[in-house]
Amino acid sequence: MNTNRDVILAGVDGTEAGLAAARYAAAEAARLGVALHLIYAIDPYAPALPTWPPAPTDPDSRMGKLGRSILDEAEEAVADSGAVVSTYMLLGRPALVLVENAAKARLVVLGDQPRSLFDRIITSSIIAPVAAHSPAPVVVVPAAWPSDEVTREIVVGVMDASTSAALVRRGLEVAAARGARLRLLHAWHAFGSYPDLTAGVDERLWTERAERELDAVLETARAGSGAVAAGVETVVEAVQAQTAYALVEASRKAELLILGRGRHFLGLRHLGGTSRAVLRESVCPVEIDPTVSPSFEGDTGADSGLATAGSQPANV
């Protein structure tokens, strides 16, 4: 595979979600003028039948034939995209394969297949580990995407405006490339079981302060962006709502939702509960950007929802 970052990776697995990821990745590759690599990973720890040859990626093996058919289907699905497509069948745990190859890529795209709550409990998914550890941004595309009713709007979730200039700049760049509007969204709330903590607090003042901070980080991001990105139409919004709920509601009319990735207090890469909930429930594709720390996440306590009178509004 190429060793430069002019590549977009898409993980495919023979599902509708994998095809949705391939189509999204192909559209982005064509838009950006970069190559698209479709990857199917064969888990070496999967139980093997005695009749299988020792090299499961061999094109003549049963696993090899299965992988080849999955890659061929995905390649056919993006044949009219205009992207330059290469296919790869690699041996290794799927999440590890994608994370290792993400270092060479501009973007990693995965699909999310709808599953019941019970199925999510008893089955594994590579989405969370890849999103938590990838050195490149990861986009998760719902299997049912695209929707014909979406607004041309990119939504960026912001927790702490003072540390989110890079995340907002990313939003400006994406919005400029797509000819879309950019919406900066900050949500704050307090647990309903602690009403006395916010008694007497003017919610309007919190909202106005948050919107001023969003305006300030937007101007900082514009100053660090090119002329095209600097001219993107923007909207700032601060709402009193539980973070994941506000983000999922915003996803219903957006074409992309961009979130930062949190870090554990020991500096370890981490995907917090809010991100996991949004990835699971979002209507539109979600991009997890690893270059922002801290992210909108509630990993340091903000997502607990506890906000004392006069404090910084909690959450996004």
Side-chain angles (χ1 to χ4, degrees):
M1 297 178 65
N2 293 347
T3 57
N4 58 53
R5 296 183 70 86
D6 289 332
V7 170
I8 290 178
L9 305 183
V12 298
D13 57 2
T15 65
E16 287 300 318
L19 295 178
R23 294 187 186 101
Y24 182 98
E28 285 299 288
R31 188 195 332 268
L32 298 173
V34 300
L36 170 61
H37 289 180
L38 301 176
I39 296 179
Y40 176 70
I42 298 177
D43 192 335
Y45 300 102
L49 296 175
T51 56
W52 289 0
T57 55
D58 188 307
D60 293 326
S61 70
R62 295 181 64 179
M63 284 298 291
K65 290 177 179 177
L66 173 63
R68 187 69 263 160
S69 67
I70 289 173
L71 288 169
D72 287 345
E73 181 186 30
E75 188 174 19
E76 182 178 356
V78 301
D80 297 330
S81 66
V84 177
V85 183
S86 300
T87 60
Y88 297 88
M89 185 161 46
L90 304 176
L91 185 64
R93 290 287 181 92
L96 292 177
V97 166
L98 288 165
V99 169
E100 288 172 359
N101 285 280
K104 311 166 188 176
R106 179 178 298 195
L107 190 69
V108 177
V109 185
L110 302 174
D112 187 21
Q113 191 77 13
R115 297 186 298 276
S116 68
L117 177 60
F118 182 70
D119 286 339
R120 289 181 182 276
I121 293 173
I122 65 173
T123 61
S124 61
S125 170
I126 68 170
I127 289 175
V130 174
H133 297 283
S134 171
V138 175
V139 174
V140 178
V141 184
W145 187 259
S147 169
D148 296 330
E149 301 178 358
V150 299
T151 305
R152 297 201 63 79
E153 181 175 78
I154 308 299
V155 177
V156 174
V158 179
M159 177 184 118
D160 183 355
S162 66
T163 61
S164 298
L167 187 65
V168 175
R169 189 160 56 246
R170 170 64 180 165
L172 285 168
E173 292 169 353
V174 173
R178 300 188 181 195
R181 179 175 66 178
L182 175 65
R183 178 182 175 194
L184 305 186
L185 177 62
H186 172 95
W188 60 275
H189 76 105
F191 275 147
S193 51
Y194 296 96
D196 292 341
L197 291 177
T198 54
V201 175
D202 191 333
E203 297 173 1
R204 178 180 55 83
L205 294 179
W206 273 14
T207 300
E208 290 177 351
R209 182 177 69 177
E211 289 177 345
R212 287 195 301 271
E213 291 173 350
L214 290 175
D215 284 331
V217 72
L218 177 59
E219 291 308 308
T220 299
R222 284 191 190 277
S225 303
V228 175
V232 170
E233 177 188 356
T234 57
V235 176
V236 300
E237 182 178 12
V239 298
Q240 183 181 10
Q242 198 276 338
T243 307
Y245 175 84
L247 291 168
V248 170
E249 284 300 300
S251 77
R252 300 187 188 281
K253 292 296 183 180
E255 63 175 273
L256 180 66
L257 177 60
I258 302 177
L259 309 177
R261 184 172 71 197
R263 288 184 181 275
H264 188 271
F265 70 95
L266 295 177
L268 302 176
R269 292 170 180 171
H270 178 64
L271 196 65
T274 300
S275 285
R276 291 172 182 266
V278 174
L279 286 173
R280 184 175 63 247
E281 303 296 337
S282 178
V283 177
C284 75
V286 179
E287 177 178 316
I288 302 295
D289 193 314
T291 63
V292 180
S293 179
S295 71
F296 82 103
E297 282 291 351
D299 300 329
T300 57
D303 213 28
S304 68
L306 296 179
T308 58
S311 70
Q312 176 83 9
N315 299 327
V316 172

